[in-house]
Amino acid sequence: MNTKVLAEYRQEVFHHLTKELLPFWESRCVDHENGGYLTHFDKDGKDSGEDEKSLIAQSRTVYTFSSAHRAGYGDGRFADIARHGVDFLLDKMWDEENGGFFWLMNRKGEVKIDEKIVYGHSFAIYSLAEYTLATGDPRGLEYAEKVFDLLQKYGVDTYYGGYFEMFHRNWTLKGPGAAGGDRKTLDAHMHLMEAFTTLYEASGKEIHRRKLLEIIELLTNKIMHPEYGTGIPQFWADWSVAPQIKFDIIWGWDRFSEDGQKSAAEDNTSYGHNVEFAWLLMHALDILDIPYDNYQKQLHQSFDHALAHGIDWEYGGVYVEGSHAGEVYDREKEFWQQAEVLIGMLDAYRIYDDEKYLRAYESVHRFVFDKMIAHEVGEWKPLLTRQGESIWTHMSHSWKVNYHSVRAMVQSIVRLDRLMEGNK
């Protein structure tokens, strides 16, 4: 690929990141009155007034500003914004009696949902470890390690392996079904891999390395489809495949049927998750100093399934999900899948030097920049039709904040720079 073309992509990404995306968040999200972040904005970028502060949105925003500062953006301002969010997490959201973070607060910092959700705690570890790496403030690593230790004490399934995910305030396991106490998910375990990677990077401790290796083996041997290498969304405790249902607390309520179950509940995989898993695995291997070749088959399966079935070569972008064998079920375009595929396809091209991965990146890049980004506002639209028309229009809420969009831009620049420098 001509470095001139790569440079054009890089300039487009850099302009969006520094002139639109980061300014959108810097100018809006800091709650000077109550602490923490405001994270609910309508299609015009105006505060929608939703009276909540979620663990997922607060921690992800800490990650966003920490990682942006660590990458050299913001002239120090982003470290201050990250610190502002850490203060709220530790002063308001931390449960002093039982340990761990509450799931949901109101804007004033009063508890609305006191449950302990492992998915949210994975992002607490991830963001707090990143915060210490970015700023040197030891509080981040201190609390990241506290959460890690709580998960080893209460979350680990010592019989079948992996982690239970849904707990009451005192870390007793929730009930079955929609309460989620009898299920395990790809989503939580993939993000625990992501979290343990950054935790190990920050701490250098052998126990963090060991648990990271353990969860990588679990993901590759239990959670990925044995034939296709694609991610299976939900399991029973014994790692037999469970029908994918909505939980009381989970992303994507309105994308399930009325009875709370997917139409293809036991045969669906997310193209975005598969590519995200692949590039996160590569990053974990970098931190562990383990060669990619040790997981070459899995990496190729993750990338190539999305390439063959998930990329929309006609309209651009990546679809939501389909069957493990290849049939596409959902041709809409969600923001986060696009973000993760941008990073992943650049990684695949960088490592395997095959133009097909760069063509996939180009397809998603053009769709994002021409259809998904609301340039006049600064953020990404959440959900579009296959052709690129808006279905949902808000700029942010508890589940759609800044983590995917900002990370995709920061990490794309890193990879484009490496490609232009000829550094694999």
Side-chain angles (χ1 to χ4, degrees):
M1 168 55 65
N2 191 315
T3 55
K4 181 175 181 289
V5 176
L6 293 175
E8 289 172 356
Y9 286 134
R10 196 234 189 242
Q11 179 54 37
E12 198 170 12
V13 172
F14 182 79
H15 179 270
H16 172 54
L17 176 65
T18 59
K19 302 299 182 184
E20 298 173 345
L21 190 54
L22 287 171
F24 175 94
W25 288 101
E26 182 179 8
S27 65
R28 288 170 172 82
C29 75
V30 177
D31 185 344
H32 295 286
E33 181 180 356
N34 297 303
Y37 305 116
L38 304 176
T39 56
H40 290 71
F41 302 105
D42 67 15
K43 64 181 178 61
D44 300 313
K46 296 178 181 177
D47 182 0
S48 64
E50 189 75 22
D51 187 24
E52 67 176 46
K53 288 176 178 169
S54 68
L55 173 59
I56 199 72
Q58 299 299 307
S59 60
R60 283 177 166 181
T61 305
V62 167
Y63 172 83
T64 291
F65 283 103
S66 298
S67 63
H69 173 70
R70 188 180 174 197
Y73 300 98
D75 297 321
R77 302 188 311 277
F78 296 161
D80 292 334
I81 296 174
R83 187 174 298 109
H84 179 84
V86 170
D87 289 344
F88 185 83
L89 281 173
L90 304 188
D91 295 344
K92 297 289 188 179
M93 300 196 80
W94 182 258
D95 181 352
E96 292 288 353
E97 180 183 359
N98 300 286
F101 292 100
F102 299 119
W103 178 249
L104 190 68
M105 322 290 286
N106 64 18
R107 289 195 177 197
K108 292 181 179 179
E110 299 163 336
V111 179
K112 292 179 72 173
I113 298 178
D114 64 5
E115 294 175 1
K116 306 294 169 59
I117 310 301
V118 166
Y119 184 86
H121 283 80
S122 72
F123 281 98
I125 295 172
Y126 187 46
S127 63
L128 290 167
E130 181 72 21
Y131 171 70
T132 291
L133 285 166
T135 68
D137 184 342
R139 293 181 303 159
L141 182 56
E142 176 190 352
Y143 276 83
E145 291 195 65
K146 285 183 178 182
V147 173
F148 173 87
D149 291 345
L150 285 165
L151 294 186
Q152 307 318 308
K153 182 176 181 180
Y154 295 116
V156 169
D157 181 348
T158 55
Y159 190 81
Y160 291 111
Y163 294 81
F164 293 111
E165 302 181 19
M166 304 290 196
F167 296 88
H168 297 291
R169 177 174 181 164
N170 64 354
W171 291 97
T172 56
L173 193 62
K174 292 178 66 177
D182 60 348
R183 304 284 180 121
K184 296 170 182 171
T185 68
L186 159 66
D187 212 358
H189 286 77
M190 181 181 73
H191 289 297
L192 285 172
M193 177 183 73
E194 168 187 70
F196 292 175
T197 299
T198 304
L199 178 62
Y200 175 58
E201 183 182 5
S203 77
K205 291 186 176 180
E206 176 61 25
I207 184 60
H208 300 149
R209 178 185 179 89
R210 182 153 54 86
K211 284 295 181 176
L212 173 56
L213 287 166
E214 181 182 284
I215 208 161
I216 288 172
E217 292 307 304
L218 180 73
L219 281 157
T220 53
N221 294 321
K222 295 285 190 184
I223 295 179
M224 297 298 142
H225 194 285
E227 179 179 356
Y228 300 105
T230 45
I232 299 170
Q234 287 184 21
F235 299 84
W236 301 110
D238 65 358
W239 295 108
S240 58
V241 177
Q244 190 180 5
I245 61 169
K246 71 175 182 181
F247 299 133
D248 293 337
I249 297 175
I250 197 63
W251 158 248
W253 286 15
D254 41 6
R255 298 182 65 75
F256 286 80
S257 61
E258 289 184 6
D259 65 0
Q261 183 164 296
K262 290 266 188 175
S263 56
E266 295 188 47
D267 179 25
N268 66 88
T269 192
S270 163
Y271 307 112
H273 269 155
N274 292 333
V275 175
E276 184 180 15
F277 165 72
W279 84 256
L280 287 172
L281 174 58
M282 292 170 75
H283 178 58
L285 296 174
D286 287 340
I287 299 301
L288 290 163
D289 196 24
I290 292 174
Y292 300 148
D293 288 350
N294 292 21
Y295 294 88
Q296 186 173 110
K297 180 181 178 182
Q298 176 61 67
L299 291 169
H300 273 296
Q301 286 181 313
S302 298
F303 287 127
D304 292 348
H305 184 274
L307 195 80
H309 307 293
I311 301 295
D312 185 346
W313 297 105
E314 181 177 359
Y315 292 102
V318 61
Y319 302 128
V320 171
E321 66 183 18
S323 75
H324 296 284
E327 180 187 355
V328 180
Y329 296 150
D330 188 340
R331 285 182 163 80
E332 293 172 348
K333 312 286 174 63
E334 258 181 307
F335 74 100
W336 69 265
Q337 287 100 334
Q338 318 306 312
E340 299 309 322
V341 170
L342 287 173
I343 304 171
M345 289 303 166
L346 285 177
D347 260 347
Y349 177 60
R350 178 175 62 86
I351 298 304
Y352 300 117
D353 198 25
D354 190 323
E355 292 287 327
K356 67 185 181 181
Y357 299 119
L358 187 59
R359 290 196 298 272
Y361 170 81
E362 292 169 334
S363 170
V364 179
H365 177 103
R366 272 281 50 89
F367 184 85
V368 167
F369 278 82
D370 295 346
K371 300 288 188 179
M372 185 152 274
I373 296 172
H375 291 284
E376 70 283 1
V377 182
E379 244 290 349
W380 298 24
K381 302 169 188 176
L383 184 68
L384 308 180
T385 64
R386 180 187 180 190
Q387 293 79 10
E389 299 298 321
S390 292
I391 298 173
W392 298 342
T393 59
H394 58 270
M395 290 294 105
S396 176
H397 58 40
S398 278
W399 285 97
K400 195 268 179 192
V401 282
N402 37 53
Y403 149 78
H404 287 288
S405 54
V406 173
R407 186 173 71 170
M409 298 297 94
V410 169
Q411 294 302 321
S412 291
I413 289 170
V414 170
R415 285 153 179 78
L416 289 165
D417 283 344
R418 291 181 71 176
L419 285 165
M420 288 188 290
E421 293 164 2
N423 181 2
K424 296 298 178 93

